[in-house]
Amino acid sequence: MKPFTWLAPDTTAGAVAMLREYAPDARAIAGGQSLLLALKDRSARPTHLVSLSGIDELAGLRTADDGSLVVGAATTYAMLARASLPGWHGVLAEVAGDLADRPVRNRGTIGGALCTADPRYDMPAFAIGVGARLQVRGASGDRVVAAEGFAADAGVTTLGPDEILTAVVLPPLGTWDAVAFEKFRHRVFDAAIVSVTCALRGGRDGTAAEARLTVGGATPVPVTVAGAAALLAGGASAAEVGTRAADEVLPGGTAGGEAVRYRHELIRSLVRRAVDRALSDVRTV
Ligand SMILES: Cc1cc2nc3c(=O)[nH]c(=O)nc-3n(C[C@H](O)[C@H](O)[C@H](O)COP(=O)(O)OP(=O)(O)OC[C@H]3O[C@@H](n4cnc5c(N)ncnc54)[C@H](O)[C@@H]3O)c2cc1C
């Protein structure tokens, strides 16, 4: 690990000013669960680390006037897992409580996961899956972006060098009637080989009137599969939707090499499972 200077601002504005002052060699650090590994293998060599963990305004959850759930970027998984959230917002707490291990959950943050842009991580895929928006603050002001598109590639976000992700905003409860998240995990690492988020608005007969399906882990950034979601909203079976989703994410997957066929099959079965679960939740709403 190369030597660095540790900076500990207590406001977001202070953190942004420090990132700007030492750009391009400064990096924000939240829980350090990804960045410390990068420092150790020297794939990251910042001269200044700007800690976000002492900035109270970046941590915690609140419900906005329009019913959106605003989650501070420096909120840890452990805080999320403990939160008592109504309706499908509660799936956020379930996902946070079911990833990694206790030490990682105690330090790792939702914002750190999104900014790492690792396609195997759960939170980026979940945020895209429910149509979340992200609040960003930088030296030139604030902006709000869709979670979808925030990662430009694996490990690459659209954040500028003096920008901080300040919050992840889940849409109001009424946006979806049911949300189901499924993943098949790496045995030692716990992150996803494939994850699937299925968000539904139900029709009167317990079918999906509107659907959004997102697949993480199989491509450099999580992808929404519009064709499969349209099939679902058109009344197709979960098995048909699963096959269509797998073909959309990995075209020609059944004819590919062993690793591709394996992922194709995982997508098929996880989509089927997530759709079945979300539909059964819709029927009980
Ligand atoms: C053993 C282990 C098991 C794991 N298992 C899982 C798993 O099952 N599922 C899963 O999803 N993940 C898993 N992870 C990954 C984990 O989710 C991430 O390491 C963690 O969320 C990163 O958050 P952090 O706060 O520690 O980020 P940091 O390591 O502090 O930062 C990561 C990156 O994000 C940037 N950054 C952080 N916060 C901000 C911000 N607010 N604004 C701008 N930039 C920011 C940093 O500059 C850095 O580039 C695992 C990690 C470990 C070590």
Side-chain angles (χ1 to χ4, degrees):
M1 197 183 288
K2 298 284 271 185
F4 52 78
T5 302
W6 182 264
L7 301 169
D10 53 14
T11 63
T12 309
V16 166
M18 289 169 183
L19 286 175
R20 184 174 199 198
E21 182 173 355
Y22 299 107
D25 298 318
R27 285 283 282 275
I29 181 164
Q33 298 304 297
S34 290
L35 186 53
L36 287 176
L37 297 176
L39 296 182
K40 282 183 183 163
D41 70 17
R42 301 201 173 188
S43 53
R45 296 163 174 244
T47 56
H48 292 75
L49 286 182
V50 179
S51 172
L52 306 182
S53 59
I55 303 177
D56 291 344
E57 63 193 334
L58 285 180
L61 301 97
R62 70 180 173 84
T63 304
D65 291 344
D66 69 351
S68 319
L69 181 68
V70 183
V71 184
T75 308
T76 63
Y77 294 130
M79 291 163 75
L80 291 174
R82 280 196 301 270
S84 165
L85 299 169
W88 67 263
H89 285 168
V91 181
L92 176 71
E94 284 168 23
V95 173
D98 187 41
L99 61 78
D101 48 39
R102 196 181 290 260
V104 174
R105 291 196 296 272
N106 281 339
R107 299 290 311 165
T109 65
I110 185 170
L114 278 139
C115 293
T116 306
D118 187 316
R120 300 167 301 174
Y121 290 2
D122 300 324
M123 287 300 165
F126 179 77
I128 294 171
V130 299
R133 287 169 296 125
L134 308 180
Q135 295 177 350
V136 172
R137 177 165 297 177
S140 53
D142 292 351
R143 62 191 179 102
V144 177
V145 296
E148 186 167 21
F150 181 66
D153 201 347
V156 182
T157 71
T158 54
L159 275 185
D162 63 18
E163 285 188 316
I164 287 175
L165 173 64
T166 57
V168 179
V169 183
L170 304 197
L173 283 178
T175 307
W176 306 114
D177 291 327
V179 170
F181 181 85
E182 293 278 351
K183 78 169 174 177
F184 190 82
R185 59 187 82 210
H186 285 268
R187 259 194 121 65
V188 279
F189 184 42
D190 253 351
I193 297 174
V194 170
S195 71
V196 172
T197 309
C198 174
L200 295 183
R201 283 177 64 80
R204 269 195 294 274
D205 53 356
T207 58
E210 187 190 332
R212 184 175 167 94
L213 274 168
T214 305
V215 177
T219 46
V221 298
V223 284
T224 47
V225 281
L231 270 188
L232 177 54
S237 70
E240 289 170 311
V241 176
T243 303
R244 174 62 184 266
D247 289 343
E248 264 182 271
V249 178
L250 299 173
T254 47
E258 197 180 333
V260 180
R261 279 188 278 121
Y262 174 63
R263 277 199 160 75
H264 189 275
E265 183 52 33
L266 274 181
I267 296 168
R268 245 167 47 85
S269 60
L270 288 188
V271 168
R272 199 174 56 221
R273 215 187 287 172
V275 166
D276 276 340
R277 203 144 64 80
L279 280 176
S280 94
D281 287 353
V282 160
R283 288 182 191 117
T284 57
V285 167

